[in-house]
């Protein structure tokens, strides 16, 4: 068994210094001026990140969870994936129930939260307006996701949160010649990437899905259980 994503070239610059997408640079920075009242004390205490958001988690993960992009007042505010918003509340609580996170909440960098065997990353690292990055922005950012996945020596399962993440993983798998078994995004689907590695689809943990019951904690727990089972199956 081996990581299906081949070694990748180092991206053109350090992620947190990247300014390759002018529209997203302007948007991510502008969010500091429109912090909602409920986060103002938090920002006074910790500062506003407003830069690209790095992957977060175990340096040697078997599971990579791939989202979409930082939320304007979530990871873009806190500087850590899924930290400080309702999507993160749902995700980290589930990871904790599954024994994959040391705590059920994630509100600030430097809180000591640890993930066990899990890396959280995204195809786009700067908050986009309306959560909709442009095609050229996705392309600009692809090297960071490619490098994240290529660096996961023990990678066995990629969990795509939503169709956008599924498409990003499919593109990278195609580059690697491993996309033959991948079909259209479907919640709960499992796609073989070869050599004992899998792509698993799940609805995104966004409020639009979790507040409407489209994705429930029980459904997400079941998806995580399948990821764990796929790893155990070898
Ligand atoms: S989205 Fe990615 S490529 Fe574009 S500025 Fe942010 S980090 Fe750079």
């Amino acid at each position: 068994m081996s990581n299906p994503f081949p070694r990748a070239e180092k991206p053109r610059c350090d992620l947190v210094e990247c300014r390759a997408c002018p529209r997203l640079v302007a948007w991510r920075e502008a969010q500091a001026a429109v912090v909602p009242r409920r986060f103002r004390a938090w920002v006074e205490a910790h500062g506003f990140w407003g830069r690209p958001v790095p992957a977060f988690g175990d340096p040697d993960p078997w599971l990579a969870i791939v989202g979409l992009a930082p939320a304007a007042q979530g990871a873009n505010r806190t500087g850590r994936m899924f930290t400080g918003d309702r999507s993160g509340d749902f995700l980290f609580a589930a990871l904790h129930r599954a024994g994959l996170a040391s705590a059920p909440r994630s509100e600030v960098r430097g809180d000591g939260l640890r993930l066990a065997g899990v890396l959280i990353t995204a195809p786009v690292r700067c908050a986009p307006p309306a959560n909709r990055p442009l095609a050229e922005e996705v392309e600009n950012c692809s090297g960071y996701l490619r490098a994240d996945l290529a660096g996961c020596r023990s990678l066995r399962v990629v969990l795509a949160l939503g169709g956008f993440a599924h498409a990003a993983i499919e593109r990278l798998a195609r580059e690697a010649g491993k996309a033959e078994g991948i079909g259209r995004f479907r919640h709960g689907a499992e796609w073989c990437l070869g050599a004992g590695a899998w792509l698993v689809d799940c609805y995104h943990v966004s409020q639009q899905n979790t507040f409407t019951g489209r994705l429930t904690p029980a459904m997400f727990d079941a998806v995580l259980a399948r990821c764990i089972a796929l790893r155990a199956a070898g």
Side-chain angles (χ1 to χ4, degrees), residues 105-118:
R105 291 188 66 81
S106 176
E107 288 167 357
V108 63
R109 294 190 327 279
D111 59 1
L113 177 65
R114 295 276 177 271
L115 302 186
V118 178

Side-chain angles (χ1 to χ4, degrees), residues 15 18-21 24-25 28 52 124-126 140-141 144:
L15 176 76
C18 186
R19 302 180 72 83
C21 308
L24 298 191
V25 171
R28 77 193 190 200
V124 174
R125 304 309 178 87
C126 294
N140 286 347
C141 215
Y144 297 111

Side-chain angles (χ1 to χ4, degrees), residues 31-117:
Q31 302 315 300
V34 292
V35 174
R37 188 184 300 276
R38 67 185 186 281
F39 294 138
R40 286 188 195 150
W42 189 100
V43 170
E44 275 177 30
H46 304 289
F48 193 96
W49 179 257
R51 285 176 277 164
V53 179
F56 167 63
D58 194 318
D60 185 23
W62 64 267
L63 173 62
I65 298 178
V66 181
L68 194 168
Q73 294 293 335
N76 184 55
R77 170 174 56 89
T78 63
R80 192 166 74 185
M81 288 282 170
F82 284 101
T83 293
D85 61 20
R86 296 266 160 71
S87 301
D89 292 347
F90 184 98
L91 175 62
F92 286 106
L95 291 175
H96 186 250
R97 286 194 297 276
L100 301 173
S102 62
R105 291 188 66 81
S106 176
E107 288 167 357
V108 63
R109 294 190 327 279
D111 59 1
L113 177 65
R114 295 276 177 271
L115 302 186

Side-chain angles (χ1 to χ4, degrees), residues 142-169:
S142 60
Y144 297 111
L145 179 61
R146 188 182 292 114
D148 279 350
L149 295 180
C152 297
R153 201 166 32 92
S154 308
L155 187 68
R156 298 291 313 285
V157 181
V158 180
L159 175 56
L161 300 181
F164 187 90
H166 173 100
I169 298 304

